[in-house]
Amino acid sequence: DTIVVPAQEDGFQETFIGEDCWYAIRIHASMIPKIKHIAVYRVAPTSAVTHVAEVKGIEPYKDTGKYIVHFAAPATKIDPIKLVPKSVVKAPYSPRYTSLKRLTAAKDLNEAF
């Protein structure tokens, strides 16, 4: 029920936090009705999932074949779910799916996915 998207610091601050949305995401059509939350993985030097937001709606983004995810409320900060160096789970470079329950219980990305 949760999609995790990677973000550079400037895009994270400007869009995820500033506009309460995230766009140009590749999402398989069958997954759209299942997505209830969005979480952000901030790339190095943060290298952790730090925020999560409830999804208000998902709609096509321009004519790109990708989607824009609108938040129901501003994203909330969570305890960082860090990347474990040299582990099986690598840093997400594209959207990944998990459950909010699994994500919030995770101590690191290995447990989140």
Side-chain angles (χ1 to χ4, degrees):
D1 65 351
T2 302
I3 188 167
V4 179
V5 294
Q8 302 279 344
E9 192 58 33
D10 53 351
F12 165 74
Q13 293 294 345
E14 191 176 304
T15 309
F16 204 90
I17 297 298
E19 298 177 27
D20 296 330
C21 70
W22 195 249
Y23 47 84
I25 309 173
R26 283 185 307 278
I27 304 173
H28 192 275
S30 68
M31 291 302 290
I32 292 172
K34 299 175 185 174
I35 298 172
K36 305 292 179 231
H37 299 90
I38 184 168
V40 65
Y41 171 81
R42 292 161 68 187
V43 299
T46 307
S47 300
V49 174
T50 61
H51 290 71
V52 67
E54 188 178 339
V55 172
K56 179 172 73 177
I58 301 172
E59 57 190 38
Y61 181 67
K62 300 182 178 172
D63 285 332
T64 61
K66 296 179 182 179
Y67 294 88
I68 180 168
V69 176
H70 297 283
F71 305 169
T76 52
K77 190 174 172 91
I78 59 172
D79 288 337
I81 301 167
K82 294 250 181 217
L83 174 69
V84 178
K86 297 182 175 68
S87 75
V88 184
V89 174
K90 304 295 181 216
Y93 287 103
S94 61
R96 300 247 343 232
Y97 303 102
T98 187
S99 70
L100 185 65
K101 184 177 180 180
R102 187 169 180 173
L103 188 70
T104 52
K107 292 175 183 60
D108 57 49
L109 287 187
N110 290 348
E111 295 176 7
F113 299 112

